[in-house]
Amino acid sequence: DIDDVGHRYHLELVLEDILDKDSTVNCTAEVLYHLGNKNIAPDVQFTIEGELKNTDEADNIFYNRIKSLEKELVAENIPDSHGNVSPEMEPIRLLAWVASGYVIWQNSTENTKFQLAQIKHVKQVKRSDEYLEFDYIVLLHEMVSQEIIPWQMTVLWHPQHGVQVTQDSRHPKHA
Amino acid sequence: DQVLHIVPETFQQIQHLQHLCSSLLLDLWKPLLPEDIWAGEDLHIRVPGPLVQEVKDSLDQHMIFYKVLIPDVQELVDQSMPRESSSHRQVPEGYVYTQYHPMEEIYQWMTQIQKSNSELVTQHYLGKTIENRAMYYLQISQPSDKTKKIIWMDCGIHAREWISPAFCQWFVKEILQNYKSDPKISRFLKNLDLYILPVLNIDGYIYSWEKDRLWRKNRSPHMNGICYGTDLNRNFNSSWGSVGISYNCSSEIFCGSGPESEPETRAVAHFIERKKSDILCYLTIHSYGQYILTPYGSTTKPPSNSEELMHVAEKASAALMGKYGTRYEVGSTSLILYSNSGSSRDWAHMIGIPFSYTFELRDKGTHGFVLPPDQIQPTCEETM
């Protein structure tokens, strides 16, 4: 408890690579939830002990594949109702995970627990520069209220420049 | 069947390919129509097995280079939809427990299970859902001259938690396949009766198949049909409407118009109430999160037999982890998860059932409610 400021948590955690369960890295973090104004994202400071795996090869394969598509990529319901994701869509899903991590961070309080539930819709946006751009509508599941919240996010990615969420907003839920 | 990848180069090649497609009625995957075949563009054709050699010979004759993109289409199809090919005498032939099944199939499965195991299994009517569908439970009971204690397990109280009904079906199959050969199971059945309700929230489950995969509640209409659904796990008469709920119908945790306002809740509650003096253990299966939850959600005050409850749950969690290393957290809902009132587990304990647990199955959020079918088997095996 920090008077007049908020609640600070010290965390020691282990990061595990989703694609390689044996690859783990230790991490320490400090999270400060601000008192009062719930519209400010919690402050996060972290240190990673060691290095994250190099993903250049997979990144470039994906990048080149998308760059060489004749028509912009469009897809729906990833995963499908049964939990299946086609191999071509797996990187699209991983990208959504990373991007939704940012959105979740920006919208978290001490009383929320968000997870990405499903990608409802994704559409690639044509760009004249070297970046890839995707417009996502994702469904976020909030554990405490059990609500499913549709969220729009515009995601930029480049193998050397990483992920950026340039725009995001709560998407109006259809009746 | 094979899928061939060709990049035509000349006009003659295109003509020949178009001719092949139309005369042999080949299945064009890319492009969709023969008239859209262009030089320099990818062509993918599926060739039926018996024609593969003929087509390849013809391509060779016309100097058209090709690559085999998919050497065996059937194999790929089978991989994406695993099929159980071993014979199970006591369980319906061909019923695939490693896939999710829609409600009509689950109804059929129950009938079939009773038919093939009539010495052990009886199907019983419990009540009707709000949309007028029949609710059934299966009673697994070895004939005996003494009255036995009961273990009740219900699955699918929340529509989107598909792994839960999958687990109930798996559980029944495992018991029926192994009760003669497995000493633990046969000892179990000597002293206990098992009552299994594979899908509690039938209307909701069907709705999650047909309309909205992430639906949670039942399908009772409110406000003249403007809003649908009560959270059945907030609708039981255990500190109803006090905490962790909403009075607003549009909320996922809407607790209903009153305790036991929903026919599904009443069907289960009335039955359990009648049998409560014989019920030793109440289990309700959910997803996701990987928890074994003990009472209560409505208060942090521990239940009277809290030590014993925890001890049994810890043993269960250890046994579970022993299978695939999956970690399940154990504790009371209000302490390790969130507050909620009106849960079936709390209610069961409050009316005197000593062991009452909520299981939240895999996973921890990576797939959440939409758990892929290849995780059905390990989830069910470890939970078993």
Side-chain angles (χ1 to χ4, degrees):
Chain A
D1 266 348
I2 304 183
D3 286 339
D4 298 334
V5 179
H7 296 144
R8 181 154 69 203
Y9 294 83
H10 174 82
L11 302 169
E12 286 173 20
L13 45 141
V14 178
L15 301 181
E16 178 188 82
D17 189 338
I18 289 179
L19 301 176
D20 177 10
K21 301 281 177 182
D22 295 327
S23 172
T24 61
V25 125
N26 290 333
C27 176
T28 53
E30 299 264 319
V31 178
L32 174 64
Y33 288 102
H34 295 278
L35 214 61
N37 191 348
K38 299 291 178 200
N39 289 327
I40 309 179
D43 284 346
V44 179
Q45 307 285 327
F46 68 93
T47 16
I48 300 184
E49 290 165 39
E51 300 232 321
L52 295 175
K53 213 166 71 157
N54 182 293
T55 55
D56 288 349
E57 193 184 332
D59 286 348
N60 286 321
I61 291 177
F62 171 59
Y63 182 76
N64 290 324
R65 175 162 69 86
I66 302 295
K67 270 292 183 190
S68 63
L69 290 176
E70 292 146 25
K71 273 212 300 244
E72 281 77 46
L73 182 148
V74 175
E76 285 187 332
N77 290 335
I78 301 168
D80 67 15
S81 282
H82 292 245
N84 297 311
V85 181
S86 67
E88 308 87 68
M89 286 303 145
E90 194 56 42
I92 296 287
R93 174 211 234 176
L94 294 173
L95 185 60
W97 241 330
V98 176
S100 60
Y102 169 80
V103 170
I104 289 172
W105 166 39
Q106 292 295 301
N107 291 278
S108 287
T109 71
E110 278 169 291
N111 298 311
T112 60
K113 184 163 144 79
F114 286 99
Q115 296 280 356
L116 173 65
Q118 195 185 31
I119 299 167
K120 206 65 199 146
H121 187 82
V122 60
K123 161 176 102 213
Q124 183 187 359
V125 178
K126 205 179 166 94
R127 282 185 79 90
S128 48
D129 62 17
E130 41 173 26
Y131 281 85
L132 297 183
E133 180 176 335
F134 297 95
D135 199 12
Y136 284 93
I137 309 262
V138 294
L139 297 177
L140 298 180
H141 171 233
E142 200 291 294
M143 188 67 92
V144 180
S145 63
Q146 288 294 330
E147 293 296 331
I148 302 290
I149 309 169
W151 211 285
Q152 178 273 331
M153 23 181 230
T154 305
V155 182
L156 245 51
W157 180 73
H158 184 278
Q160 273 86 58
H161 305 308
V163 181
Q164 244 188 301
V165 176
T166 54
Q167 201 222 325
D168 72 275
S169 60
R170 259 182 124 106
H171 197 74
K173 208 171 184 171
H174 43 92
Chain B
D1 293 7
Q2 294 194 346
V3 175
L4 305 182
H5 173 223
I6 298 163
V7 184
E9 283 157 4
T10 69
F11 183 62
Q12 282 94 338
Q13 288 184 347
I14 293 178
Q15 274 196 313
H16 179 69
L17 288 164
Q18 287 171 335
H19 171 76
L20 263 183
C21 285
S22 45
S23 62
L24 294 177
L25 297 176
L26 298 180
D27 179 14
L28 258 184
W29 280 18
K30 181 180 165 156
L32 285 173
L33 300 169
E35 44 265 41
D36 293 331
I37 299 177
W38 292 93
E41 304 272 307
D42 283 343
L43 181 66
H44 296 169
I45 325 178
R46 180 182 66 87
V47 183
L51 295 175
V52 165
Q53 199 50 57
E54 180 182 339
V55 168
K56 285 179 175 174
D57 288 343
S58 175
L59 294 174
D60 288 338
Q61 264 177 10
H62 286 79
M63 305 272 279
I64 300 177
F65 294 123
Y66 63 88
K67 239 179 24 190
V68 179
L69 195 63
I70 301 175
D72 186 338
V73 177
Q74 187 59 50
E75 192 181 27
L76 211 61
V77 169
D78 288 344
Q79 267 167 34
S80 63
M81 285 177 338
R83 221 168 289 185
E84 208 144 277
S85 52
S86 35
S87 61
H88 300 235
R89 278 168 307 263
Q90 290 105 331
V91 301
E93 296 288 335
Y95 196 79
V96 185
Y97 291 89
T98 50
Q99 264 177 51
Y100 296 113
H101 291 272
M103 197 62 213
E104 316 89 71
E105 288 179 15
I106 299 179
Y107 273 128
Q108 285 161 19
W109 169 81
M110 276 195 275
T111 311
Q112 191 52 45
I113 282 280
Q114 184 189 252
K115 241 172 57 177
S116 351
N117 299 274
S118 47
E119 74 281 7
L120 214 54
V121 182
T122 41
Q123 182 177 348
H124 299 265
Y125 177 80
L126 202 57
K128 274 222 161 100
T129 66
I130 191 78
E131 287 180 343
N132 234 6
R133 294 189 176 90
M135 296 168 67
Y136 296 109
Y137 69 91
L138 294 172
Q139 177 179 346
I140 302 177
S141 186
Q142 209 151 36
S144 153
D145 43 5
K146 56 175 179 173
T147 37
K148 281 172 268 144
K149 288 293 183 187
I150 297 167
I151 298 192
W152 166 279
M153 181 164 76
D154 60 64
C155 293
I157 196 174
H158 288 141
R160 58 194 180 201
E161 299 166 10
W162 286 14
I163 186 65
S164 165
F167 174 70
C168 265
Q169 291 164 72
W170 180 284
F171 181 87
V172 168
K173 157 191 78 94
E174 279 294 304
I175 299 286
L176 296 176
Q177 265 183 347
N178 299 307
Y179 74 97
K180 289 195 183 129
S181 54
D182 186 324
K184 263 199 279 202
I185 300 183
S186 67
R187 196 178 58 168
F188 227 75
L189 289 181
K190 275 201 185 61
N191 300 304
L192 294 163
D193 285 348
L194 301 170
Y195 287 33
I196 315 289
L197 173 53
V199 185
L200 198 159
N201 178 10
I202 296 173
D203 299 341
Y205 185 70
I206 293 175
Y207 193 77
S208 74
W209 270 77
E210 295 178 353
K211 293 272 163 42
D212 182 354
R213 174 63 177 83
L214 295 174
W215 188 258
R216 167 182 166 88
K217 305 182 287 181
N218 77 345
R219 290 295 299 167
S220 61
H222 298 271
M223 302 182 349
N224 283 327
I226 296 180
C227 176
Y228 280 84
T230 296
D231 184 344
L232 294 174
N233 205 33
R234 301 284 187 280
N235 190 238
F236 282 78
N237 195 8
S238 42
S239 308
W240 178 88
S242 57
V243 69
I245 50 89
S246 169
Y247 292 115
N248 191 330
C249 168
S250 38
S251 164
E252 296 279 18
I253 49 178
F254 173 53
C255 54
S257 48
E260 294 184 15
S261 59
E262 307 306 301
E264 295 92 344
T265 312
R266 283 197 302 274
V268 173
H270 291 173
F271 179 78
I272 294 189
E273 177 78 50
R274 260 195 300 131
K275 298 280 210 173
K276 69 178 177 192
S277 47
D278 287 324
I279 302 180
L280 178 64
C281 178
Y282 172 84
L283 297 171
T284 178
I285 312 295
H286 293 239
S287 79
Y288 57 90
Q290 292 173 203
Y291 299 103
I292 300 177
L293 299 167
T294 60
Y296 296 108
S298 51
T299 166
T300 48
K301 193 184 87 168
S304 47
N305 62 337
S306 140
E307 255 180 56
E308 209 184 1
L309 271 171
M310 283 297 289
H311 179 71
V312 170
E314 302 270 5
K315 290 199 94 168
S317 169
L320 204 155
M321 184 153 118
K323 187 82 181 168
Y324 294 113
T326 313
R327 281 177 197 277
Y328 270 58
E329 245 181 283
V330 174
S332 96
T333 303
S334 53
L335 288 178
I336 70 172
L337 195 56
Y338 46 54
S339 296
N340 71 325
S341 59
S343 73
S344 64
R345 174 216 54 238
D346 280 3
W347 175 81
H349 192 270
M350 284 176 182
I351 61 164
I353 295 170
F355 293 96
S356 185
Y357 298 99
T358 304
F359 272 71
E360 294 276 358
L361 301 179
R362 288 195 192 182
D363 56 17
K364 296 225 38 108
T366 306
H367 298 94
F369 299 119
V370 199
L371 195 68
D374 62 12
Q375 286 211 39
I376 296 178
Q377 179 156 342
T379 305
C380 291
E381 283 180 342
E382 70 194 4
T383 313
M384 201 78 200

